[in-house]
Amino acid sequence: MASTQSVRQRVLDVVRSRIINLVYLPGMPISENDLAAQLGVSRTPVREAILRLAEEHLVDVVPRVGTYVSRVDMTRVRASQFAREAIECASLRALSLPLSAEQVAQIEAILAAQERAVADAETDTFFLLDEEFHAALMRIAGHGAAWEIVSATKVHLDRARIIGFKEVSPISFYYEQHRAIFDSVLAGDVDVAISRMEEHLRLVLADAAKAQTFLPEFFKDEGDDAAPRIAALPNLFANLAKKGPSQTA
């Protein structure tokens, strides 16, 4: 029998993952009873997960109204992107060049898998491979532990990234940027690699700005109230499900 702690963690991990990966869209109501039934647990671990997610600003608990997935907070997205860019670019600067044949093969394997994901239009797979690419570069530079710090602080950034993957920039564009970054590393030009990495990591902000023009209910920014905007969301849920990944730049 699973321990109480493992059940709590499983529920938290499942709900957080569904929010980050847009299974639960911004503004969507969350029912503790429904979640408990779906996951085969009591309401207690679900309630505890909701409280933890509220602390992480991933859900909004509105007294006497309900619990909703929070809108993507662009203030937090920008803060997370700033921190990530600083860490990853500093890590690139620390690379010992030229890379070993084993290190090159490791990154090339990830890029080859990304290219296949692009060809098959596998957006979710590409997102995981995107994570692998960035994590591998940091490990090679000797800063693998710093990637764990980046991962722990970028849940809001990841929501914006996935909206970008699915609705704004084609994943082929992200692949091409990864390829260009690594080609610069192979050429021994760290300054160009860093410049390309900066451009790449800032794409999430440009994508989010574009997404806000046609999915405004999904976002909030400094000065917005915290309450979810739910009036127009049912149609948006249906439209997003029908549209699938956009192939427009």
Side-chain angles (χ1 to χ4, degrees):
M1 180 178 293
S3 68
T4 301
Q5 182 60 34
S6 66
V7 170
R8 289 173 180 166
Q9 190 62 48
R10 178 174 70 88
V11 172
L12 177 61
D13 290 345
V14 167
V15 180
R16 184 192 285 119
S17 176
R18 290 178 181 179
I19 292 172
I20 292 172
N21 289 288
L22 303 183
V23 176
Y24 295 161
L25 296 174
M28 181 178 176
I30 294 179
S31 164
E32 290 184 9
N33 288 334
D34 290 349
L35 263 179
Q38 290 171 15
L39 300 177
V41 299
S42 70
R43 286 184 59 186
T44 298
V46 172
R47 187 178 303 112
E48 291 172 345
I50 294 300
L51 291 174
R52 175 71 177 275
L53 293 168
E55 292 175 355
E56 296 176 5
H57 304 280
L58 289 174
V59 301
D60 295 319
V61 180
V62 184
R64 297 183 297 280
V65 176
T67 299
Y68 301 87
V69 177
S70 69
R71 290 181 282 148
V72 178
D73 187 336
M74 287 306 300
T75 299
R76 295 180 183 279
V77 169
R78 285 189 288 268
S80 182
Q81 189 279 333
F82 174 81
R84 181 180 183 184
E85 180 180 317
I87 292 171
E88 290 206 45
C89 289
S91 181
L92 269 183
R93 180 74 66 188
L95 280 172
S96 178
L97 300 179
L99 300 182
S100 70
E102 181 181 353
Q103 290 170 331
V104 171
Q106 181 183 355
I107 301 297
E108 290 289 1
I110 295 171
L111 289 171
Q114 288 184 358
E115 191 171 19
R116 290 192 295 271
V118 169
D120 296 336
E122 291 286 349
T123 303
D124 293 340
T125 299
F126 187 88
F127 179 80
L128 296 176
L129 292 167
D130 178 277
E131 297 278 285
E132 282 190 36
F133 174 78
H134 290 274
L137 279 180
M138 292 192 67
R139 283 196 304 272
I140 287 171
H143 294 293
W147 173 256
E148 296 176 9
I149 296 171
V150 171
S151 295
T153 59
K154 65 184 182 67
V155 290
H156 296 276
L157 180 65
D158 283 344
R159 296 175 76 198
R161 287 171 63 211
I162 291 176
I163 290 173
F165 278 13
K166 291 179 179 292
E167 295 297 312
V168 185
S169 295
I171 55 177
S172 59
F173 189 53
Y174 291 88
Y175 164 74
E176 290 162 4
Q177 289 189 327
H178 290 165
R179 181 75 262 175
I181 291 165
F182 194 56
D183 284 348
S184 298
V185 170
L186 292 177
D189 198 332
V190 173
D191 288 336
V192 172
I194 289 172
S195 178
R196 288 175 171 173
M197 180 66 82
E198 289 171 346
E199 178 184 1
H200 173 65
L201 294 177
R202 292 172 189 176
L203 180 61
V204 65
L205 302 180
D207 281 354
K210 291 177 184 176
Q212 281 181 284
T213 65
F214 58 88
L215 293 172
E217 289 86 353
F218 279 21
F219 296 87
K220 69 177 180 179
D221 214 326
E222 191 172 3
D224 288 356
D225 58 54
R229 300 175 182 173
I230 61 174
L233 284 176
N235 287 335
L236 286 173
F237 295 159
N239 290 340
L240 192 64
K242 290 176 183 176
K243 286 171 64 178
S246 170
Q247 294 301 309
T248 58

